Amino acid sequence: MLRPSSPRLLLLLPTVTYRTVAFVEAARRLGADLTVASERPSTFERANPTGLVTLDFADPTHAAAQAREFARAHPVHGVVAVDDDTAVVAAAIAEALGLRGNPVAAAAAARDKHQQRQLLATAGVAVPRFELLTIAADPEKVASGVSYPCVLKPLRLSASRGVIRADTPAGFVAAFERIKRILEQTGCARLLLVEEFVPGREVAVEGLVTQGALQVLALFDKPDPLDGPFFEETIYVTPSRLARTTQQEIAACAQAAVGALGLRDGPIHAEVRHNDRGAWLIELAARPIGGRCSGALRFATGETGKGKGETLSLEEIIVRHALDMELPAVEREEQASGVMMIPVSAAGVLREVRGVDAARAVPLVEEVVITMHSGQPLVPWPEGSRYPGFIFARGGTSEAVEAALRAAHARLEFLTEPAD
């Protein structure tokens, strides 16, 4: 049976996400029909029944049944998830509809930090030593038997929320109690990992898995040390300035992790550290890079400099792959590029952001996007997980791009007032 000229993409978008515009634009450029699925009903769903649908993201099996029912009237040819939770839902839907995707068990393992650690360690992938705890544990008793420094992290939260380094038993107890409060406030699983702290340079790996083989699309340096006590990320810059042999070790580590988890088809985002003992897998997610950071990536096909070929976004590559469309050989653009996730310097209610025009005027800076609005609370890490904005830059070298991001950030001023 021939596929229709306009294949349908089912895009799983939580109601709170930065990713809507980029994926919608990617589907439009590729001529795909788009159905956006969210966990809450939209007021426009009745007016656009093929473009909007509600799925039970909390129950992947139920969501897959709902998607199968929808597909009876509106055939679906690909499914894409944008975050950790919907990655498991996407796997269930892909399995139910016979679409390209990951096995449900593999996506679930990538979502669960403890299960991921177990599978990677069993397969011989270098990971920190780890132990699973519940918040009912006695932190003082556990602290006496821990090797320091260590890192405590919630099992399910993302964006480094609740991730805290402890260097002493007293620090361990304080971190444990702080994470316990975060978990109680969020209603998440009351479990946390205690891990060995792995020193070294940390990078982010952006890749695409096809039939179990990983293609590294970009390797981002993180020039700001992530040594704790909290782990809020700031700058990503590519291409990496690490030695080629080091980059090869990092790519091999990520590929080994993909194999250990059983991932088959789709995007991955991994955090890897490298030191004199080699590459260490810190975390791997079965979804693309978060926030608006994908805006730092552009990919070339053919000889774009000679007008032969095209430039693709990361989202276009992911959509093409999900729909099993022809995907030409792609390479990241020749220019260096980077993004700064604007850090939260202090808690308070945002009232005004000054210096945006001045930041945009910095040479090599392409865009300054403020995503938070006046009246919204700014919450620093480890309790926080939302950045107030993003800065993007491109230039001849990674060093120049990094300098431009820092210069633009220095021109911004966030005016706040105390929260009630």
Side-chain angles (χ1 to χ4, degrees):
M1 181 172 150
L2 293 176
R3 173 172 289 192
S5 58
S6 297
R8 180 172 299 281
L9 176 73
L10 181 62
L11 179 63
L12 309 187
L13 278 177
T15 50
V16 180
T17 180
Y18 293 112
R19 307 306 298 275
T20 305
V21 174
F23 273 107
V24 169
E25 177 63 17
R28 185 195 66 79
R29 287 188 62 179
L30 294 172
D33 290 332
L34 180 64
T35 298
V36 175
S38 294
E39 77 279 22
R40 298 177 187 173
S42 167
T43 54
F44 299 103
E45 195 168 317
R46 286 191 177 183
N48 187 13
T50 63
L52 298 168
V53 65
T54 303
L55 299 180
D56 185 1
F57 288 172
D59 185 341
T61 301
H62 185 211
Q66 292 173 309
R68 188 165 50 240
E69 181 64 27
F70 174 85
R72 287 195 179 100
H74 314 288
V76 173
H77 305 95
V79 58
V80 168
V82 301
D83 67 2
D84 295 313
D85 289 327
T86 54
V88 182
V89 178
I93 292 172
E95 187 174 275
L97 299 183
L99 306 175
R100 201 171 203 177
N102 290 309
V104 174
R111 179 68 184 97
D112 186 299
K113 292 181 175 69
H114 183 241
Q115 188 180 1
Q116 180 177 144
R117 282 280 183 266
Q118 289 178 310
L119 290 173
L120 296 182
T122 299
V125 180
V127 294
R129 294 189 304 272
F130 61 95
E131 179 183 359
L132 181 66
L133 298 177
T134 75
I135 62 172
D138 181 344
E140 293 187 359
K141 182 177 180 180
V142 176
S144 64
V146 171
S147 297
Y148 295 97
C150 68
V151 175
L152 295 80
K153 61 174 64 172
L155 200 63
R156 285 293 183 91
L157 297 181
S158 57
S160 299
R161 187 178 189 183
V163 182
I164 306 174
R165 170 174 164 164
D167 294 330
T168 64
F172 182 98
V173 173
F176 184 97
E177 295 297 343
R178 196 164 183 175
I179 295 172
K180 180 178 179 179
R181 289 193 293 272
I182 293 171
L183 293 176
E184 289 173 342
Q185 291 167 2
T186 59
C188 289
R190 299 187 172 191
L191 298 168
L192 63 145
L193 283 179
V194 179
E195 298 183 344
E196 166 193 15
F197 173 75
V198 176
R201 296 284 299 275
E202 183 166 311
V203 299
V205 180
E206 202 64 26
L208 185 69
V209 180
T210 303
Q211 296 182 350
L214 172 65
Q215 177 187 2
V216 174
L217 298 174
L219 191 63
F220 284 103
D221 285 342
K222 302 180 183 182
D224 288 335
L226 289 168
D227 292 331
F230 314 128
F231 295 86
E232 177 187 20
E233 295 186 302
T234 51
I235 294 176
Y236 277 25
V237 179
T238 189
S240 172
R241 288 163 277 185
L242 296 175
R244 182 159 298 278
T245 54
T246 299
Q247 294 186 41
Q248 291 170 342
E249 289 180 25
I250 290 168
C253 178
Q255 174 65 78
V258 165
L261 296 176
L263 297 172
R264 292 293 300 166
D265 278 287
I268 65 105
H269 177 77
E271 314 291 343
V272 181
R273 289 205 171 202
H274 192 275
N275 55 33
D276 56 8
R277 293 189 289 167
W280 297 73
L281 202 293
I282 302 303
E283 285 187 15
L284 186 146
R287 44 93 177 156
I289 192 170
R292 294 200 178 187
C293 295
S294 66
L297 293 174
R298 293 175 188 160
F299 299 90
T301 68
E303 301 178 64
T304 53
K306 300 179 182 179
K308 303 176 182 178
E310 57 183 327
T311 300
L312 299 179
S313 67
L314 175 65
E315 287 79 10
E316 285 176 87
I317 291 174
I318 293 169
V319 171
R320 280 178 183 260
H321 184 267
L323 292 172
D324 205 13
M325 299 172 69
E326 181 182 358
L327 184 59
V330 295
E331 290 188 2
R332 204 194 60 78
E333 63 179 337
E334 290 185 5
Q335 278 192 308
S337 61
V339 57
M340 172 181 271
M341 293 154 271
I342 299 173
V344 178
S345 57
V349 175
L350 180 62
R351 287 305 170 208
E352 183 182 356
V353 183
R354 294 178 180 173
V356 174
D357 289 340
R360 288 174 177 152
V362 172
L364 304 187
V365 169
E366 289 192 335
E367 191 175 13
V368 178
V369 181
I370 305 300
T371 54
M372 298 189 76
H373 308 291
S374 177
Q376 288 187 287
L378 295 176
V379 183
W381 271 247
E383 284 77 15
S385 62
R386 291 196 63 195
Y387 296 95
F390 302 84
I391 306 171
F392 298 89
R394 276 182 171 78
T397 67
S398 295
E399 291 82 359
V401 168
E402 179 186 341
L405 292 171
R406 295 191 190 281
H409 179 238
R411 298 187 180 188
L412 296 176
E413 183 181 6
F414 288 81
L415 302 183
T416 62
E417 62 184 35
D420 293 335

